[in-house]
Amino acid sequence: MKKLSLICLSVCVLMTTVTAQNDPAAKKVLDAVGAKVKAAKGISATCTLNSFTSKGKPNGTQSISLQMKGDKYQLKQGKTEIICDGSTVYRFDGEKTITKSSVEEGSQTLSPQKLLSGAYDKDFTYKLLSSKTAFYEIEMKPIDKRKNFQQVNLFIDKASNSFSRARILDKSNNVTEVKISNLNFNAAVADSRFVFNKSKYPKDVEILD
């Protein structure tokens, strides 16, 4: 659940003007990605997370399905599930506990919207590291140093102007590599996916605020 939460909680940052600090070439790429996400009626994707310790030792792999529409999303990994209705986040641990919190309470990690959207001006400083391959590589660092990650490297597909993968370095120098596959910007995503319904879960499930 901790690994799943790495990309499912929303980023809430300090209001800081950072445009002058950012690379215009990187901004052009990110703006193109953001425009594509903004125009999407619904987004679906499969995410593979590979984790590594600070010494480079593999620390597990997860496959996660993502459904997203605007500021709402649903993430599923096996029996665990996270639903965000735009203001509240519900995290089911796959057994008997659901943790409920506001979007703002999860301000120290990344949300799928932030990772996919390309709208990073208020959250990160960024620069274009490479454009020599089929992907743009962009290095991003959070403005708010209280975040539980210190750097994100995004890889943007040149041909499709969409997110391909990311490398997230946390404060303990552990690494999570996120790879997106089956990315669909025209998915028919039902609004009901983002509505929390307690009856879908075990009868004895406990909800913790």
Side-chain angles (χ1 to χ4, degrees):
M1 198 66 179
K2 182 179 179 180
K3 293 178 183 177
L4 180 59
S5 294
L6 181 65
I7 65 167
C8 73
L9 303 179
S10 292
V11 177
C12 181
V13 298
L14 299 176
M15 295 300 292
T16 307
T17 302
V18 299
T19 304
Q21 301 177 27
N22 289 325
D23 180 358
K27 179 172 176 56
K28 183 178 179 180
V29 174
L30 296 175
D31 284 350
V33 175
K36 189 166 186 176
V37 172
K38 187 176 181 180
K41 294 181 179 180
I43 296 174
S44 66
T46 300
C47 311
T48 302
L49 274 64
N50 292 299
S51 301
F52 302 88
T53 67
S54 59
K55 296 182 179 180
K57 182 179 179 180
N59 196 32
T61 298
Q62 290 182 311
S63 180
I64 296 171
S65 65
L66 166 67
Q67 305 289 326
M68 192 170 90
K69 182 183 287 187
D71 60 355
K72 302 175 183 180
Y73 62 85
Q74 178 196 50
L75 284 162
K76 297 187 72 173
Q77 193 270 321
K79 293 182 179 181
T80 63
E81 179 182 37
I82 297 178
I83 295 174
C84 176
D85 62 12
S87 59
T88 305
V89 180
Y90 302 88
R91 305 176 191 86
F92 175 52
D93 67 357
E95 297 180 359
K96 296 182 179 181
T97 304
I98 295 172
T99 304
K100 178 182 176 183
S101 63
S102 68
V103 166
E104 289 76 13
E105 288 180 89
S107 64
Q108 301 308 307
T109 53
L110 287 170
S111 69
Q113 294 97 323
K114 285 298 178 185
L115 205 55
L116 287 169
S117 71
Y120 305 114
D121 275 356
K122 296 178 181 179
D123 303 337
F124 299 91
T125 58
Y126 48 79
K127 62 181 178 180
L128 181 65
L129 294 184
S130 175
S131 59
K132 294 181 180 180
T133 67
F135 303 92
Y136 295 108
E137 181 181 0
I138 296 173
E139 177 189 272
M140 306 195 309
K141 294 183 178 181
I143 296 164
D144 186 349
K145 301 305 180 183
R146 296 172 297 178
K147 304 304 179 188
N148 67 355
F149 57 95
Q150 57 179 304
Q151 182 174 310
V152 179
N153 284 52
L154 284 183
F155 295 83
I156 307 297
D157 188 296
K158 290 181 179 179
S160 62
N161 281 331
S162 62
F163 173 76
S164 176
R165 57 191 175 95
R167 182 178 183 273
I168 303 169
L169 181 67
D170 72 16
K171 287 292 184 65
S172 300
N173 291 320
N174 300 309
V175 173
T176 299
E177 293 184 349
V178 182
K179 184 177 181 181
I180 297 288
S181 59
N182 303 316
L183 181 58
N184 182 0
F185 285 93
N186 295 302
V189 182
D191 291 332
S192 58
R193 282 186 175 272
F194 315 116
V195 177
F196 175 72
N197 183 352
K198 185 180 178 181
S199 65
K200 291 170 49 181
Y201 304 97
K203 293 183 179 180
D204 56 349
V205 70
E206 182 180 10
I207 299 179
L208 304 177
D209 291 322

